[in-house]
Amino acid sequence: MVGLAAAGLGLFFIAGAYALRVLPGYARISPRFFPVLVGSGLVVAGVLLVRSALRGEAPGGDAACDWKATGLVAAGLLLHMALIERAGFILSSTLLFGLSAYALGSRRLAANTLVGLIVSAATYLVFTRGLGLSLPAGVVG
């Protein structure tokens, strides 16, 4: 069931990408590139999951879900969505990185925050200065 859902979502992404109107002038990479790339990855992952299920193989084995970690990552995503406009991309993404790292077992708060800040700031600069796209600046920008 998960495999079919992943493959269906991938096909949805691909169809949506080809529904985008692309203006002439894009030499190689158009706005369709990344949605098609992600959609293709989802289709491949979905097909592999379906194949594993048909063979009776359980992906992940008998591992139980860590609901605490799942909840922390979900809380990080919700906080990111709630804060991105007010606090900005860099701070909200740093918080998301820190919560996700904590959820996955890292207890080095200062190091996680520093790495999250560096990755978020670098991503912000690549998107805003390198690609000319706008991300919410918030209090840092």
Side-chain angles (χ1 to χ4, degrees):
M1 186 61 125
V2 172
L4 291 174
L9 184 61
L11 291 173
F12 176 75
F13 277 18
I14 293 168
Y18 282 103
L20 290 173
R21 195 181 98 184
V22 178
L23 300 174
Y26 285 102
R28 293 193 175 110
I29 296 181
S30 75
R32 293 179 179 153
F33 178 75
F34 286 107
V36 168
L37 183 69
V38 171
S40 299
L42 282 168
V43 169
V44 169
V47 168
L48 292 174
L49 283 169
V50 168
R51 187 182 77 176
S52 292
L54 292 174
R55 289 181 174 178
E57 302 167 357
D62 294 330
C65 181
D66 183 352
W67 290 106
K68 180 180 177 185
T70 303
L72 284 171
V73 171
L77 286 168
L78 290 172
L79 281 170
H80 186 270
M81 289 188 300
L83 295 175
I84 194 166
E85 289 295 326
R86 289 189 182 105
F89 178 83
I90 295 174
L91 291 180
S92 62
S93 297
T94 300
L95 178 63
L96 173 60
F97 185 91
L99 275 174
S100 297
Y102 185 84
L104 296 173
S106 177
R107 299 298 181 254
R108 298 179 304 183
L109 182 61
N112 294 340
T113 303
L114 181 62
V115 169
L117 185 62
I118 291 168
V119 170
S120 299
T123 303
Y124 180 83
L125 290 174
V126 166
F127 274 81
T128 57
R129 304 258 166 82
L131 297 173
L133 300 173
S134 64
L135 293 174
V139 295
V140 175

